Amino acid sequence: MLDLKFVRANLDFVARKQSERGSDIDIESFSSLEQKRRDILQEVEALRSERNTVSKEVGTLKKSGSDAADLIAKMGAVSARIKELEESLKAVEGELHNMMLVIPNIPHDSVPFGRGSEDNPVVRTWGEKPTFDYDPKPHWELGENLGILDFGRAAKIAGARFAVYQGQGARLERALINFMLDLHTEVHGYREVMTPFMVNRESMQGTGQLPKFEEDLFKVSGTNYFLIPTAEVPVTNLHADEIMDEKDLTLKYVSWSACFRAEAGSYGKDTRGLIRQHQFNKVELVKFARPEDSYDELESLTLNAEEVLRRLGIPYQTVTLCTGDLGFSSAKTYDIEAWMPGQEAYREISSCSNFEDYQARRAGIRFRRGDTSKVEHVHTLNGSGLAVGRTFVAVLENFQQGDGSIAVPEVLIPYMNGVDRISLLQ
RNA sequence: GGAGAGAUGGCUGAGUGGCUGAAAGCGAUCGCCUGCUAAGCGAUUGUACGCCCCAAAAGGUGUACCGGGGGUUCGAAUCCCCCUCUCUCCGCCA
């Protein structure tokens, strides 16, 4: 959520920034609603003030045995009026709040203007694409041939967009999770957390999934719980409604979770294989930072995520999302795209964002400065480090061999209990 | 699932209708004192929103907030109702 006072003072700027990301803001109704809120507020506060003063007089009069009937009758009327005003104030504030909740974040100045993903500039490429003396196979063929992936039975027990991992496939998924967690905790200094996979509505609103994107989420029927689409939600909300100590910043968390996405509106996209699933594993990096540090922290967070691919030996490129492709809550986002030989394309494997104070304002995450003891909103950041299912895909497709087996990347061998190749016989 | 108890500031904990934004203690910050440390003395120590002042900061002022929501009353931390969460006991259970 944007700062109400900032929006009020910079309406044209905010509207222009929103249009750059292809979003509209109704300046007129915002202004009139905001003005109305202040008008009512001033009136109701003046009346409350009067009531407070007179009520004290009533107390004094009664104590001294005098008659206060006149004042009491008068205040009865004032209280009734206050009640009326409070109701309309509540209505106006609710409307204004709902309006604020659906205004996306303002892109950072360094975010390039563009209409969509085709306009995202590449900031880095790493690694050499492997060459094959045959047509490299997509992971779903490799996986099913090796008996480590079973989409048919997944469809039988659950439905489309689910997968069953078995044998060395299940082991590989688990190895990737452990490898990533170890790297981020032991080398990059993140603190590991394991959180609930279901959260309440407030948490979803805190990080920006609600109210606007409810159709993308799974709701647990008969409860108020939603399945998390990413560990970003529970981990960021860990500090909701808290005032943090400046000395604890930058606070860095890493969390493995299953992620659940309804994938509404993606019919026909990536219907084969592991790329787009209703449930997948992800290792997520989350940071809470001081405002002046957050853009440096975004750079290091992105590099921390890239390090996973470097150690695995998977080629990738990193792009900056342009204004038209930027996510709702983000001020700036880098996408890391891994090379997938079987699909002959770079595919998104991580998305690293700085939300500035947008989520912090929604969720009430603040910190107190040590020197001035001023309270400010923190900046929140997060990024996949990495999407495990898609990393699984990248390993299969990049390390496939002519005989259909998969060479296990060096760094994963210890996590595979010494197995250095996945082949049919395993 | 059943029975009971509870939720107050950074923490502990008073407070059963007006003198309570909230006692006391602890902690923290600043100052004094002191060979060092400790102790001692003094002061300060919430958040949000509005208005005034204003380049801004600071300041002034008003309102709200004692788990959340609603009600009674001239007036609610305090009385009533609903909800959430925590604790204890019983039952069930990975």
Side-chain angles (χ1 to χ4, degrees):
Chain A
M1 190 154 54
L2 300 175
D3 180 19
L4 187 65
K5 275 183 268 189
F6 177 83
V7 175
R8 179 166 76 208
N10 303 280
L11 256 185
D12 292 334
F13 170 80
V14 172
R16 195 178 74 240
K17 283 293 187 180
Q18 295 308 328
S19 76
E20 280 179 15
R21 51 151 81 226
S23 170
D24 277 334
I25 169 169
D26 186 347
I27 296 186
E28 242 87 300
S29 34
F30 173 86
S31 294
S32 70
L33 212 53
E34 215 285 316
Q35 186 60 49
K36 202 167 160 193
R37 179 184 83 94
R38 275 183 295 160
D39 289 346
I40 300 174
L41 189 62
Q42 280 173 49
E43 192 179 348
V44 79
E45 289 194 347
L47 288 175
R48 280 174 184 160
S49 179
E50 184 187 353
R51 182 178 68 186
N52 287 343
T53 322
V54 175
S55 289
K56 264 180 199 158
E57 284 174 36
V58 171
T60 323
L61 284 176
K62 282 199 162 180
K63 202 170 262 177
S64 67
S66 312
D67 177 40
D70 281 0
L71 287 181
I72 288 176
K74 196 174 150 214
M75 283 307 105
V78 169
S79 276
R81 175 68 181 149
I82 289 176
K83 203 168 176 183
E84 268 174 45
L85 286 171
E86 279 174 342
E87 268 162 35
S88 44
L89 181 66
K90 207 168 151 187
V92 167
E93 282 182 335
E95 221 177 308
L96 196 60
H97 187 67
N98 289 340
M99 195 178 266
M100 293 298 290
L101 281 178
V102 297
I103 299 176
N105 203 354
I106 294 171
H108 187 253
D109 282 341
S110 67
V111 173
F113 177 80
R115 306 178 67 86
S117 55
E118 65 281 1
D119 296 326
N120 296 337
V122 175
V123 294
R124 261 191 301 280
T125 58
W126 183 93
E128 272 183 44
K129 295 175 184 170
T131 53
F132 300 91
D133 51 14
Y134 59 96
D135 275 351
K137 295 189 172 70
H139 66 279
W140 56 85
E141 275 183 40
L142 294 161
E144 290 192 309
N145 290 343
L146 287 167
I148 60 174
L149 288 177
D150 191 334
F151 293 103
R153 289 197 174 100
K156 178 172 69 180
I157 60 173
R161 295 198 188 282
F162 287 96
V164 169
Y165 296 71
Q166 28 190 38
Q168 294 299 344
R171 178 82 194 212
L172 177 61
E173 180 84 357
R174 187 154 56 88
L176 284 167
I177 293 168
N178 286 331
F179 164 64
M180 292 179 197
L181 287 172
D182 286 352
L183 175 67
H184 294 311
T185 53
E186 284 160 27
V187 180
H188 296 147
Y190 290 76
R191 178 187 176 84
E192 184 173 349
V193 276
M194 229 186 261
T195 66
F197 291 175
M198 292 181 240
V199 297
N200 56 29
R201 184 169 284 275
E202 290 69 44
S203 295
M204 286 294 184
Q205 189 167 292
T207 32
Q209 282 74 22
L210 291 179
K212 221 179 165 181
F213 306 103
E214 183 151 359
E215 69 278 8
D216 297 335
L217 301 171
F218 284 111
K219 171 116 200 260
V220 182
S221 120
T223 73
N224 286 315
Y225 299 131
F226 293 88
L227 298 184
I228 58 171
T230 158
E232 159 194 351
V233 178
V235 176
T236 305
N237 281 288
L238 237 31
H239 294 287
D241 296 317
E242 288 184 11
I243 299 178
M244 306 174 77
D245 276 343
E246 183 178 18
K247 64 173 160 45
D248 293 333
L249 302 177
T250 301
L251 188 58
K252 311 195 300 186
Y253 286 111
V254 58
S255 182
W256 159 76
S257 85
C259 303
F260 303 90
R261 299 194 181 173
E263 295 296 348
S266 63
Y267 301 107
K269 276 187 206 163
D270 302 312
T271 48
R272 301 205 66 179
L274 290 173
I275 292 292
R276 197 172 297 276
Q277 299 276 291
H278 284 313
Q279 177 188 326
F280 59 95
N281 289 299
K282 186 155 58 65
V283 170
E284 185 77 0
L285 306 172
V286 176
K287 287 184 178 181
F288 299 83
R290 297 188 305 174
E292 61 268 39
D293 298 330
S294 70
Y295 278 94
D296 287 342
E297 294 290 354
L298 176 63
E299 296 302 318
S300 60
L301 185 146
T302 307
L303 289 172
N304 291 158
E306 290 178 18
E307 186 64 21
V308 175
L309 291 172
R310 293 187 185 207
R311 293 199 179 203
L312 288 169
I314 294 166
Y316 67 88
Q317 66 177 21
T318 301
V319 303
T320 307
L321 297 194
C322 69
T323 52
D325 203 24
L326 198 59
F328 178 79
S329 303
S330 177
K332 183 173 187 176
T333 298
Y334 292 116
D335 269 9
I336 302 170
E337 302 174 337
W339 177 247
M340 308 287 193
Q343 302 159 63
E344 246 182 297
Y346 283 107
R347 300 300 307 258
E348 177 188 337
I349 202 164
S350 171
S351 195
C352 302
S353 303
N354 184 359
F355 302 93
E356 297 190 359
D357 60 6
Y358 188 89
Q359 293 181 326
R361 186 169 291 106
R362 285 177 165 241
I365 311 170
R366 295 171 296 170
F367 76 105
R368 192 185 302 278
R369 292 221 181 251
D371 47 356
T372 61
S373 76
K374 287 266 289 179
V375 175
E376 284 177 50
H377 287 101
V378 302
H379 281 194
T380 60
L381 303 90
N382 68 56
S384 349
L386 306 163
V388 181
R390 289 187 181 182
T391 310
F392 184 102
V393 169
V395 168
L396 259 56
E397 295 195 4
N398 281 281
F399 293 92
Q400 60 179 290
Q401 308 295 311
D403 62 0
S405 68
I406 310 295
V408 175
E410 201 69 30
V411 291
L412 290 182
I413 294 174
Y415 292 96
M416 293 291 287
N417 213 14
V419 170
D420 61 2
R421 186 174 286 249
I422 300 173
S423 47
L424 191 52
L425 291 180
Q426 303 268 348

